[in-house]
Amino acid sequence: MPMPEKLDTEPLPLSPTFHFSPKNIFPNFNHINQIRIHKNFFLKIFIPARRLLYIKSFWALLLLIILSGCGEQTAKPRIGGILKLSAPGGTPDNLNPVLTDYGLTVALWQLIFNNLVRINPDMTPQPDLAYLWQISPDGLAYTFYLRPNVRFHDGVELTSADIAFTYDLIKKYRTYATRHTLFDAINHWETPDKYTFKIILNKPFGLSLTTLSEPILPKHLLEGQDIINNSFNRSPVGSGPFRFKEWTPDNRITLEANPDYYEGRPHLDRIEAHGYDTPEQIWAALMKGETDLTFFLPREKFETAARDPYFKTYQFPYIWVYALEYNLADPIVRNRAVRQVLAHIINVPEIIQSVEGGYGEPATGPFIPDVWWYNPNPKPIPYNPIKAQELLVSAGWYPNENGVLEKDGREFRLNLLVNSDVREGYKMATLIHNNLLCLGIKTELLEFDYQKYLKGEIEVPEDASAYLTFFSLTAEPSDLAKIWHSAKRDPRIKLWPYHNLEVNRLFELGQTLTNLEERQKTYQQIHQLIYDDQPATFLYFFYNLCVMRDGFKNTDKLFSTIMPFWTIKDWQAKTGDGK
């Protein structure tokens, strides 16, 4: 029988025990004579009275410190309080996790429902409904052992049948579901008994457990129903720490604490969620006390809140990386040395300051910072136009009579497409244009209507050299093969293929590995190879700027790239009403 994967639920090593003995305090204790230890464990030391007083005082102080620490450890958490949660983008149409991935609903899913496993801020899996899992020696079977007596909010026990039913729905409604592509690696699933769920793969495949962080729906309420037009979508029943209470006509969604939650009742009484259409509406709600927590605030509002002690502010990289993707069929940028020179010419810190007000983090490749597969070794290529000019001259590029670099009769010209969906894309592109122009590289900016491209109404111009866009980086590294694996590229995401046989091989290897350390090493190699090759100039991650009222404790775990909203179950109001 293979050993199960190590889980967070394993007991931690015990701290060294402090023994209350004079030997801990007096190294030469054995040389002290005339000591009697009474059966009540107090020491009577026949030494002068003044020294006896010092020793008694020391032990009294030590006992006081220990008892004080014990009091802190046993203090009961505060129960009560309301968290008012808001997000941009308006109000969702429904709360069914199989049918929508709207921003606010993602937060509410993690509070209403449980998953087979849940995801930590660094993207490692943590037990949730499954308290233990095992992988077969041949890598074809994943067996999950479920907690007994986990109940939906209507009192019905959640079992393996509900998990199988949910995954059946995801496959059926795959055009709606999120992260569905990795389900293609699964042959089928089985339910040997009510507390065991088993996944059988088509071939050995490093099935990432992040793929299984899907909210589990109740089979007894949805089986045989029209899931698209179902009252469940606006009044869901889950098994999570909060249960749905109401959805009011003014589009305020209220959740209340689940007293029967398997990990214990959450500390807060209620969560009230509301979606807003504009940042101005969110700011007004924040100022009027109608919301306690919000995300993606404009930097001017964020900076105002940061100066107010009534609020706490958080900033961290979001999952989008802005990049200048290159058409490697272009006769100029197909040269790796040229792409590396371009990285020295583009002033990324200036772009972050001008476009984001400084709220961004230079990117060093295709993966999100602070996750387990991120490689910390690559460093941002520094802005260095002098070095870039020297490299261009050494490569045979000299300015012509018009001041444009030229080599073998060919001018250094780039046709730069600008994704119409990139926020402040033309401002960013203009800064890049000016950086390149200073060294004699002529750039023409061309708007590219990305939505029309998706609909098949336009094609990619044949003479395009580069594309200013963003890549959305998922919770599963193997899923990024659709960007960087030449045979698996999704043209809706990446316009031009990237051919690197070693990167292809490593992506394929990463999909077969089940050991986390081996997978980490493989994807970190991919990270290094892609950054060295520069098939794109990776610009920066913009920051998610969050503001919350300073009325809650235990909040910091939420504020990371993936925002694990399930951690709100551990939040406490500083006072009973959350104020």
Side-chain angles (χ1 to χ4, degrees):
M1 174 71 69
M3 292 298 294
E5 185 172 331
K6 186 175 182 180
L7 304 180
D8 291 342
T9 51
E10 291 183 2
L12 297 174
L14 294 176
S15 301
T17 303
F18 183 84
H19 298 283
F20 294 92
S21 165
K23 292 182 181 181
N24 296 111
I25 310 302
F26 302 104
N28 298 320
F29 173 76
N30 289 330
H31 301 290
I32 299 176
N33 297 319
Q34 295 180 307
I35 294 179
R36 183 184 306 156
I37 302 179
H38 293 274
K39 62 183 179 180
N40 61 3
F41 297 107
F42 284 97
L43 298 180
K44 184 176 181 181
I45 305 178
F46 298 98
I47 51 180
R50 182 178 298 174
R51 294 177 63 189
L52 179 62
L53 177 62
Y54 290 158
I55 294 172
K56 286 183 176 179
S57 299
F58 171 82
W59 284 101
L61 178 60
L62 184 60
L63 183 60
L64 180 63
I65 293 171
I66 293 167
L67 291 176
S68 175
C70 292
E72 290 179 2
Q73 292 175 0
T74 57
K76 291 184 178 180
R78 182 180 295 278
I79 299 298
I82 302 170
L83 173 66
K84 300 172 184 176
L85 171 68
S86 65
T91 304
D93 293 329
N94 71 74
L95 296 177
N96 188 327
V98 171
L99 302 180
T100 181
D101 60 355
Y102 169 83
L104 184 59
T105 62
V106 174
L108 298 179
W109 291 349
Q110 297 182 45
L111 300 170
I112 298 172
F113 300 95
N114 288 111
N115 308 329
L116 192 59
V117 297
R118 59 191 176 202
I119 307 304
N120 287 316
D122 65 352
M123 302 286 194
T124 54
Q126 176 179 322
D128 193 5
L129 294 174
Y131 69 89
L132 183 71
W133 52 84
Q134 293 177 314
I135 304 172
S136 64
D138 61 8
L140 290 176
Y142 286 64
T143 304
F144 298 86
Y145 301 96
L146 308 184
R147 302 177 192 275
N149 296 319
V150 175
R151 299 192 175 275
F152 287 107
H153 299 149
D154 61 359
V156 175
E157 186 178 22
L158 188 155
T159 69
S160 59
D162 298 291
I163 297 172
F165 173 75
T166 299
Y167 289 172
D168 287 339
L169 287 179
I170 291 171
K171 292 202 74 171
K172 180 177 180 180
Y173 296 96
R174 58 185 302 139
T175 55
Y176 294 95
T178 59
R179 292 195 302 277
H180 59 74
T181 53
L182 289 178
F183 277 75
D184 293 338
I186 299 174
N187 183 290
H188 67 280
W189 33 76
E190 302 172 354
T191 55
D193 58 57
K194 64 189 295 188
Y195 299 130
T196 306
F197 181 71
K198 193 170 185 178
I199 291 176
I200 309 299
L201 305 180
N202 292 312
K203 59 183 179 180
F205 186 87
L207 182 68
S208 173
L209 298 184
T210 59
T211 312
L212 305 177
S213 59
E214 299 285 354
I216 302 304
L217 278 59
K219 178 180 179 180
H220 67 281
L221 294 180
L222 293 174
E223 186 176 28
Q225 302 292 315
D226 176 6
I227 192 172
I228 302 295
N229 303 296
N230 197 296
S231 61
F232 179 92
N233 300 338
R234 291 181 66 89
S235 56
V237 175
S239 59
F242 291 86
R243 57 192 184 192
F244 176 84
K245 182 179 181 182
E246 63 178 349
W247 192 329
T248 60
D250 64 349
N251 283 324
R252 190 168 301 276
I253 300 168
T254 301
L255 312 181
E256 61 183 3
N258 176 10
D260 302 316
Y261 186 53
Y262 80 83
E263 289 184 302
R265 181 201 192 278
H267 307 315
L268 298 175
D269 283 335
R270 292 204 311 276
I271 293 176
E272 296 177 359
H274 194 286
Y276 292 90
D277 294 321
T278 67
E280 290 72 24
Q281 290 175 339
I282 291 178
W283 181 251
L286 197 64
M287 292 297 98
K288 291 187 289 186
E290 295 174 356
T291 187
D292 300 315
L293 171 63
T294 193
F295 320 97
F296 300 107
L297 269 184
R299 61 179 178 270
E300 299 83 4
K301 308 296 187 185
F302 176 82
E303 290 172 350
T304 299
R307 294 190 292 268
D308 189 335
Y310 185 75
F311 298 109
K312 293 173 68 175
T313 56
Y314 297 86
Q315 51 183 294
F316 48 88
Y318 189 54
I319 61 172
W320 287 350
V321 58
Y322 288 113
L324 193 62
E325 177 193 348
Y326 294 116
N327 176 7
L328 300 182
D330 180 271
I332 295 178
V333 297
R334 71 170 57 166
N335 187 304
R336 172 179 171 176
V338 168
R339 300 194 300 272
Q340 292 172 333
V341 168
L342 291 173
H344 280 298
I345 298 174
I346 297 173
N347 191 342
V348 173
E350 178 190 43
I351 294 173
I352 294 174
Q353 185 60 46
S354 180
V355 176
E356 308 292 351
Y359 295 104
E361 182 174 318
T364 63
F367 296 151
I368 312 169
D370 301 324
V371 296
W372 60 264
W373 63 86
Y374 180 80
N375 188 338
N377 293 323
K379 305 303 178 186
I381 296 176
Y383 171 64
N384 192 336
I386 295 175
K387 180 177 181 179
Q389 188 174 41
E390 293 172 351
L391 292 172
L392 288 168
V393 169
S394 66
W397 291 95
Y398 296 94
N400 60 20
E401 63 275 11
N402 298 317
V404 179
L405 291 180
E406 186 176 289
K407 178 181 179 180
D408 299 331
R410 179 189 294 275
E411 288 189 333
F412 200 140
R413 292 173 176 266
L414 298 178
N415 291 326
L416 173 55
L417 303 180
V418 181
N419 185 332
S420 58
D421 283 0
V422 171
R423 182 175 50 89
E424 298 196 69
Y426 256 88
K427 184 175 184 179
M428 201 183 304
T430 300
L431 291 168
I432 294 172
H433 169 275
N434 294 342
N435 289 158
L436 298 176
L437 186 61
C438 286
L439 267 74
I441 299 173
K442 196 167 184 178
T443 308
E444 184 176 357
L445 305 182
L446 305 171
E447 183 176 2
F448 184 69
D449 192 321
Y450 182 64
Q451 295 304 319
K452 287 186 177 180
Y453 169 70
L454 289 180
K455 297 174 184 176
E457 297 176 5
I458 63 171
E459 295 183 354
V460 179
E462 293 183 1
D463 60 349
S465 312
Y467 176 44
L468 180 61
T469 187
F470 61 88
F471 298 122
S472 180
L473 307 181
T474 69
E476 165 49 41
S478 65
D479 205 32
L480 295 179
K482 61 189 176 186
I483 300 176
W484 302 111
H485 190 296
S486 58
K488 299 180 180 181
R489 175 184 67 98
D490 185 341
R492 297 170 300 176
I493 302 172
K494 193 173 186 301
L495 297 191
W496 302 292
Y498 169 54
H499 297 280
N500 186 315
L501 294 179
E502 181 63 6
V503 169
N504 287 356
R505 185 189 72 81
L506 288 171
F507 265 116
E508 291 163 9
L509 174 63
Q511 290 184 339
T512 66
L513 298 174
T514 58
N515 180 277
L516 188 63
E517 290 183 3
E518 293 177 356
R519 296 190 79 213
Q520 179 184 53
K521 181 179 178 180
T522 299
Y523 288 113
Q524 288 183 344
Q525 285 181 268
I526 292 173
H527 185 162
Q528 186 72 62
L529 285 169
I530 292 177
Y531 196 56
D532 289 344
D533 208 18
Q534 290 289 301
T537 295
F538 298 96
L539 301 173
Y540 67 95
F541 295 92
F542 84 90
Y543 279 171
N544 184 351
L545 303 180
C546 303
V547 174
M548 70 172 297
R549 184 171 57 79
D550 187 17
F552 303 89
K553 298 189 295 184
N554 303 333
T555 59
D556 290 352
K557 288 183 180 180
L558 172 66
F559 300 99
S560 62
T561 299
I562 66 162
M563 301 201 74
F565 284 94
W566 59 265
T567 60
I568 290 177
K569 70 183 177 64
D570 298 320
W571 285 22
Q572 295 181 43
K574 289 185 176 179
T575 62
D577 58 0
K579 297 180 180 179

